[in-house]
Amino acid sequence: MTTRPVLAITTGEPAGVGPELAVQVAAAEASRAEQLVLIGDRDLLAARAAAVGVSADWPDFVAGSAAPVSILHIPLAHPAVAGKLDPANARYVLDTLDAAIDGCLDGVFDAMVTAPIHKGVINDGCPGQFFSGHTEYLAEHTNTHQVVMMLVGGGLRVALATTHLPLADVAAALNAESLVTTLSILQADLQSKFGIAEPRILVAGLNPHAGESGHLGREEIDIIEPVLEKLRATGMQLIGPLPADTLFQPKYLQTADAVLAMYHDQGLPVLKYASFGQGVNLTLGLPIIRTSVDHGTALDLAGTGQADVGSLQAALTLAAQLAVNHRAAA
């Protein structure tokens, strides 16, 4: 392995903005302190690079090479058209993820950074294989029992107790065992990945007003509070459960290292309001480092050069920082 962190970028849905964002960031950052490996179809990357006015004349990736930017070529099944989803290329998207995962597990890459994908077209193109998102796919393919999704941006770190579930299923998915594991993963990764010795974590309630002493729901009384008491006894600094509508204010956040929200749309609208275009999605609990953009495929912008590279740049910066921290702790 070279002395510089090697970051693999999966270029995402070929009809979306991922390929052009990847080549734009790579073209602008060829002299950066990290090595970038773009994983995707070479011809697709060259075409999108030309469309946005940059060059993608980078060598093929060779492990141990000192090339600041290289391409790990994975061929498309069918030529991609910007803005037009094609289920024929669904397996291609998963192949790029598999290459990055395997490279991280083998120590070839120090971290993987993922451009946006389209869940619907993957499910349409891979019958019999339900795909609910990067987070769950990475957990399955690294044999990780439970992972935690966290977004970073706008001065906030917001983790989720549940991820991509219909709202009607959230309450049933909350249980003491899962919540203990989630908070333990969050605590451990704040310490090991972010270097925070004694993290202070704010925990949201599930119900309005954190259940209003049981009048608006009993999940706080029956599940959340007992878990927090149990983990506080081990030395964890956990504040809550707090009403989610008043949690995100300076008097709480200024002394907090992270927030745990109970479901996707409880915590993430606040973070995305504070950081959209600069936010980073981070998967905690994995044996590898993975960051991602905080936005979708933006099919309407694909091929136009108008998509903002800020979130991908932020994801690369965070991945590099975490990789350096990991190396220092090893």
Side-chain angles (χ1 to χ4, degrees):
M1 183 179 294
T2 62
T3 57
R4 293 187 292 168
V6 181
L7 310 181
I9 304 176
T10 59
T11 51
E13 164 55 47
V17 295
E20 65 205 68
L21 293 178
V23 296
Q24 285 176 286
V25 167
E29 299 293 336
S31 62
R32 63 182 294 142
E34 303 80 37
Q35 292 179 249
L36 305 183
V37 181
L38 277 57
I39 303 180
D41 184 279
R42 176 176 282 283
D43 291 339
L44 169 67
L45 297 176
R48 294 297 173 80
V52 297
V54 300
S55 172
D57 186 22
W58 298 303
D60 290 332
F61 170 69
V62 177
S65 167
V69 180
S70 58
I71 295 175
L72 176 53
H73 173 66
I74 293 180
L76 284 163
H78 191 268
V81 177
K84 296 184 179 180
L85 296 171
D86 185 348
N89 286 322
R91 183 65 249 178
Y92 157 84
V93 175
L94 299 183
D95 287 344
T96 65
L97 291 179
D98 291 345
I101 293 168
D102 291 344
C104 287
L105 290 173
D106 293 341
V108 177
F109 307 135
D110 292 293
M112 61 183 287
V113 180
T114 56
I117 56 178
H118 193 285
K119 301 178 185 68
V121 76
I122 292 176
N123 284 302
D124 290 341
C126 299
Q129 179 175 337
F130 176 66
F131 184 88
S132 60
H134 275 116
T135 302
E136 297 81 3
Y137 190 84
L138 287 161
E140 178 183 355
H141 286 258
T142 58
N143 295 313
T144 305
H145 173 67
Q146 184 171 330
V147 295
V148 176
M149 178 179 174
M150 182 167 79
L151 268 76
V152 179
L156 301 172
R157 301 184 186 100
V158 179
L160 303 177
T162 62
T163 53
H164 299 117
L165 291 177
L167 187 57
D169 296 341
V170 169
L174 282 177
N175 60 75
E177 179 182 5
S178 176
L179 192 54
V180 166
T181 303
T182 296
L183 282 164
S184 298
I185 290 171
L186 178 55
Q187 168 91 354
D189 276 16
L190 286 171
Q191 291 173 323
S192 65
K193 289 185 170 67
F194 289 90
I196 302 170
E198 297 182 358
R200 192 171 187 270
I201 302 170
L202 307 183
V203 180
L206 173 67
N207 298 295
H209 301 179
E212 197 76 70
S213 300
H215 296 289
L216 296 177
R218 291 192 55 84
E219 285 80 8
E220 288 78 10
I221 295 171
D222 296 339
I223 300 172
I224 302 174
E225 289 178 359
V227 165
L228 300 189
E229 290 177 6
K230 175 181 178 180
L231 294 177
R232 287 187 192 113
T234 70
M236 292 176 64
Q237 298 187 59
L238 305 171
I239 298 86
L242 298 169
D245 65 339
T246 55
L247 184 162
F248 291 96
Q249 55 178 305
K251 73 173 184 178
Y252 293 121
L253 295 174
Q254 64 189 357
T255 58
D257 297 299
V259 173
L260 179 67
M262 291 297 110
Y263 58 94
H264 188 280
D265 283 9
Q266 182 185 61
L268 298 193
V270 178
L271 182 138
K272 291 193 176 186
Y273 175 79
S275 68
F276 197 76
Q278 300 291 327
V280 180
N281 187 333
L282 172 64
T283 308
L284 306 179
L286 294 171
I288 63 177
I289 295 169
R290 177 261 174 165
T291 66
S292 185
V293 296
D294 71 345
H295 58 76
T297 52
L299 297 172
D300 58 324
L301 297 179
T304 68
Q306 297 178 22
D308 189 344
V309 301
S311 183
L312 183 57
Q313 179 59 70
L316 287 167
T317 299
L318 180 58
Q321 292 171 348
L322 298 180
V324 170
N325 291 347
H326 178 73
R327 284 186 173 188

